[in-house]
């Protein structure tokens, strides 16, 4: 009986750790999934912020002019350079409703993933940053890969 209770307790903890909720930044129809313990810090027409103890997500609107799928990586590289990002790794996101690119590294010893998103149908460009504690890389990756425009 103790083994069954212990197994159920472990299963419950695993499910609650991985539980997610979907947030939608209504001004832009941008949806994304975050851990269930996330709380909204700011939600305006210009920016959106939410966080938990170990992950912080900030999104802001960018001037769409001059942004294209071909220039996204270059723009992120310049931004990472300005921020003095160490060990940057850049890549393209395979999102279904948005074009996106990311760059990931450390800024002042903190894990940071910068994401540039664009929706060519509505001429929206957004810059997201996800900062996260060591050991929360997968959760940060899950957030970044969940972005979509509805």
């Amino acid at each position: 009986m103790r083994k069954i209770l212990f197994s159920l307790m472990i299963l419950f903890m695993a499910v609650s750790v991985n539980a997610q909720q979907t947030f939608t930044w209504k001004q832009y129809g941008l949806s994304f999934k975050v851990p269930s313990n996330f709380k909204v810090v700011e939600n305006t027409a210009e920016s959106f912020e939410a966080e938990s103890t170990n992950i912080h997500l900030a999104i802001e609107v960018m001037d769409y002019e001059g942004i294209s799928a071909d220039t996204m990586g270059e723009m992120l590289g310049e931004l990472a350079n300005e921020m003095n990002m160490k060990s940057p790794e850049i890549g393209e996101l395979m999102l279904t409703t948005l074009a996106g690119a990311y760059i990931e590294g450390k800024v002042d010893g903190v894990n940071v993933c910068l994401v540039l998103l664009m929706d060519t149908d509505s001429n929206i460009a957004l810059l997201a940053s996800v900062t996260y504690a060591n050991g929360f890389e997968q959760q940060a990756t899950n957030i970044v890969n969940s972005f979509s425009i509805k």
Side-chain angles (χ1 to χ4, degrees), residues 7 17 19 23 27 48 53 59 72-73 95 100 102 111 125:
S7 296
V17 165
F23 280 178
Q27 286 88 339
F48 181 95
T53 305
I59 309 168
M72 292 172 80
L95 304 171
Y102 71 91
N111 300 310

Side-chain angles (χ1 to χ4, degrees), residues 8-136:
L8 287 173
M9 185 176 77
I10 295 296
L11 179 63
F12 176 74
M13 287 175 22
V15 169
S16 62
V17 165
N18 291 321
Q20 297 205 347
Q21 62 181 321
T22 299
F23 280 178
T24 300
W25 190 13
K26 292 188 189 313
Q27 286 88 339
Y28 301 97
L30 181 71
S31 292
F32 44 92
K33 293 182 180 175
V34 295
S36 61
N37 62 346
F38 257 58
K39 303 288 184 231
V40 174
V41 175
E42 182 176 353
N43 186 356
T44 68
E46 294 83 31
S47 63
F48 181 95
E49 284 187 60
E51 64 186 7
S52 68
T53 305
N54 296 300
I55 301 176
H56 181 266
L57 169 66
I59 309 168
E60 62 184 55
V61 180
M62 292 186 63
D63 181 12
Y64 185 81
E65 192 68 33
I67 298 175
S68 70
D70 295 333
T71 62
M72 292 172 80
E74 181 181 326
M75 292 178 78
L76 282 173
E78 290 172 7
L79 185 56
N81 192 37
E82 289 174 18
M83 295 173 69
N84 225 5
M85 184 179 278
K86 305 295 182 210
S87 306
E89 292 182 29
I90 195 163
E92 185 178 340
L93 292 172
M94 300 301 175
L95 304 171
T96 56
T97 59
L98 293 163
Y102 71 91
I103 192 163
E104 191 171 25
K106 289 190 180 262
V107 176
D108 296 329
V110 176
N111 300 310
V112 178
C113 182
L114 300 175
V115 180
L116 185 55
L117 302 165
M118 63 180 247
D119 178 22
T120 55
D121 291 340
S122 60
N123 293 334
I124 293 173
L126 304 165
L127 177 66
S129 68
V130 181
T131 56
Y132 55 94
N134 290 332
F136 290 85

